[in-house]
């Protein structure tokens, strides 16, 4: 018997890797060459292999951008590596519409989610497979891979949130996650060891 009403989902999430497959999935890649002024050590970045991938993003955007009430879904794969002593990480952003939150959760590998409020107070959460992170409204968020294997996490955010990269491009985050004595350390006015 054929059932014409029950259809397969358009997108599938691999529950082990966190990766997305399906026609509507859009993939993008950020390479060393694309991340000018993101890491502290521009000189090191410049001497690195420019087409080396730092992180990849897969998104499922079932609503038109800025649609209120909708949700977007994404998978981010951050490769292991460092620029100087700073771990490979996402650019990080505030939401263009500040009053919007987001969920991140770890699927593979290990890293650190760095959060910053509008007063530039900064803190961080360890990301491991199964860790769930509620990113409250008005917080800038960035993830760094502190492990030797790819860090994969999923994200879900409102379709009207948008991305504000300008503020981070201008002022950066108030702290950076660097490796010191083989340990990740969040370097700001106050040092936090993980
Ligand atoms: C997550 C989501 C996306 C974001 C991606 C990479 O998947 O938050 O919205 O684009 O991470 O982060 P960024 O754009 O800050 O580099
Ligand atoms: Zn976001």
């Amino acid at each position: 018997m054929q059932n014409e009403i029950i259809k397969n989902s358009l997108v599938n999430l691999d529950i082990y890797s966190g990766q997305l497959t399906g026609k509507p999935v859009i993939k993008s890649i950020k390479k060393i060459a694309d991340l000018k002024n993101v890491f502290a050590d521009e000189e090191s970045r410049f001497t690195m292999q420019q087409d080396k991938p730092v992180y990849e993003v897969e998104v499922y955007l079932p609503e038109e951008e800025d649609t209120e009430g909708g949700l977007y879904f994404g998978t981010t794969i951050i490769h292991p590596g460092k620029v100087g002593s700073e771990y490979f990480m996402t650019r990080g952003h505030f939401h263009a519409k500040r009053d919007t939150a987001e969920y991140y959760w770890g699927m593979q590998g290990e890293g650190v989610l760095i959060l910053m409020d509008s007063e530039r107070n900064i803190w961080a959460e360890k990301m491991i497979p199964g860790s769930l992170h509620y990113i409250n409204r008005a917080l800038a968020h960035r993830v760094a891979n502190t492990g030797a294997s790819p860090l994969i996490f999923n994200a879900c955010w409102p379709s009207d949130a948008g991305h504000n990269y300008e503020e981070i491009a201008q002022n950066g985050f108030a702290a950076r996650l660097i490796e010191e004595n083989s340990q990740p350390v969040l370097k700001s006015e106050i040092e936090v060891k993980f």
Side-chain angles (χ1 to χ4, degrees):
M1 197 176 73
Q2 225 180 348
N3 191 330
E4 286 169 4
I5 295 172
I6 303 175
K7 295 180 178 161
N8 288 331
S9 59
L10 289 174
V11 175
N12 285 290
L13 172 70
D14 184 309
I15 58 164
Y16 297 106
S17 73
Q19 289 184 262
L20 297 178
T21 48
K23 239 187 175 166
V25 176
I26 303 164
K27 297 186 186 200
S28 64
I29 189 160
K30 287 275 178 287
K31 298 177 180 170
I32 284 288
D34 305 319
L35 298 170
K36 194 165 184 252
N37 294 323
V38 169
F39 296 92
D41 192 345
E42 261 299 293
E43 220 174 283
S44 289
R45 190 193 64 89
F46 198 69
T47 57
M48 289 172 79
Q49 188 196 316
Q50 294 300 297
D51 63 356
K52 190 178 169 66
V54 177
Y55 67 95
E56 294 167 50
V57 182
E58 303 168 344
V59 289
Y60 176 36
L61 314 173
E63 302 274 1
E64 240 176 77
E65 216 177 313
D66 293 337
T67 304
E68 273 183 44
L71 291 170
Y72 286 165
F73 195 94
T75 298
T76 305
I77 302 137
I78 311 176
H79 294 279
K82 280 176 291 187
V83 175
S85 58
E86 194 172 12
Y87 296 101
F88 278 7
M89 61 184 181
T90 59
R91 277 189 295 169
H93 58 270
F94 283 102
H95 288 159
K97 190 173 178 186
R98 285 277 168 140
D99 199 26
T100 52
E102 182 164 2
Y103 272 118
Y104 275 8
W105 60 98
M107 290 297 283
Q108 266 189 29
E110 56 186 77
V112 174
L113 166 64
I114 304 159
L115 299 162
M116 181 175 76
D117 68 18
S118 304
E119 279 80 52
R120 298 185 62 75
N121 296 306
I122 205 149
W123 65 100
E125 295 176 4
K126 254 191 191 178
M127 190 179 264
I128 55 168
S131 64
L132 180 66
H133 310 271
Y134 180 62
I135 302 167
N136 217 326
R137 66 203 78 216
L139 297 180
H141 36 291
R142 157 182 281 172
V143 175
N145 182 352
T146 56
S149 61
L151 168 66
I152 307 183
F153 68 92
N154 288 142
C156 185
W157 67 101
S159 47
D160 59 343
H163 293 86
N164 173 349
Y165 292 107
E166 293 79 47
E167 226 170 300
I168 302 301
Q170 270 174 23
N171 309 316
F173 271 63
R176 291 180 173 278
L177 198 74
I178 63 146
E179 188 178 72
E180 215 174 62
N181 305 319
S182 316
Q183 288 274 87
V185 180
L186 191 63
K187 277 273 182 185
S188 57
E189 298 95 75
I190 308 154
E191 283 183 27
V192 184
K193 283 215 162 72
F194 288 92

